[in-house]
């Protein structure tokens, strides 16, 4: 290419502002490897979307529990069922509980939690909640949780 020389171009007759050098168009047609844009889009779809959903779910649980603790009411809960699954040093315990809200309705809930146990701990169940407490939304008692929740713990 030199000043005043003729250069072959390729353009769209319906949109003449879209112009490219013919050599660039030919090089793109003969390219053997996939272009980077579709590869990046696929990576974002397969990696980014599930990761964004997971982060959104964790943030949702955190905000839900924070909202319940700020504006919720407390009720004494009764643990009606408990199960524990141990895999290596990770213990997962589920507790089914019931409580009565301020209107007198009885609600049932399930609380799940994972804790790391110290094998040298002399207590038989260090995660036992001394006074089970349910926190519920006074406007809608169906929104409730057993305190402490996933993100909150009792101060020692």
């Amino acid at each position: 290419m030199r000043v005043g020389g003729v250069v072959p171009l390729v353009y769209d007759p319906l949109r003449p502002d879209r112009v490219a050098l013919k050599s660039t168009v030919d090089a793109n047609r003969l390219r053997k490897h996939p272009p980077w844009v579709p590869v990046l889009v696929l990576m974002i779809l397969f990696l980014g979307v599930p990761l964004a959903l997971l982060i959104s779910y964790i943030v949702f649980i955190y905000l839900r529990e924070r909202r319940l603790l700020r504006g919720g009411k407390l009720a004494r809960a009764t643990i009606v069922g408990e199960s524990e699954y141990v895999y290596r040093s990770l213990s997962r315990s589920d507790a089914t509980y019931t409580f009565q809200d301020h209107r007198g309705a009885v609600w049932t809930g399930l609380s799940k939690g994972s804790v790391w146990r110290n094998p040298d701990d002399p207590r038989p169940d260090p995660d036992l909640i001394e006074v089970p407490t349910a926190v519920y939304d006074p406007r809608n008692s169906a929104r409730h949780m057993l305190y402490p929740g996933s993100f909150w713990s009792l101060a020692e």
Side-chain angles (χ1 to χ4, degrees), residues 51-98:
L51 187 62
L53 289 174
L54 177 66
I55 291 171
S56 300
Y57 178 69
I58 291 171
V59 169
F60 168 75
I61 292 172
Y62 169 77
L63 293 176
R64 176 183 170 262
E65 289 183 8
R66 190 175 80 177
R67 199 173 326 117
L68 277 176
L69 290 175
R70 282 189 176 166
K73 287 192 170 191
L74 300 176
R76 185 173 182 97
T78 305
I79 305 293
V80 293
E82 190 176 4
S83 60
E84 184 174 1
Y85 311 99
V86 179
Y87 177 72
R88 295 187 185 173
S89 62
L90 181 65
S91 172
R92 178 173 179 98
S93 57
D94 299 344
T96 305
Y97 62 94
T98 61

Side-chain angles (χ1 to χ4, degrees), residues 93-138:
S93 57
D94 299 344
T96 305
Y97 62 94
T98 61
F99 71 95
Q100 187 173 7
D101 66 5
H102 64 286
R103 294 185 186 115
V106 176
W107 294 88
T108 302
L110 177 67
S111 177
K112 297 181 177 188
S114 297
V115 290
W116 290 97
R117 289 191 188 266
N118 183 358
D120 301 328
D121 195 344
R123 297 177 294 176
D125 192 359
D127 305 316
L128 181 67
I129 300 171
E130 298 286 331
V131 180
T133 305
V135 181
Y136 65 93
D137 187 349

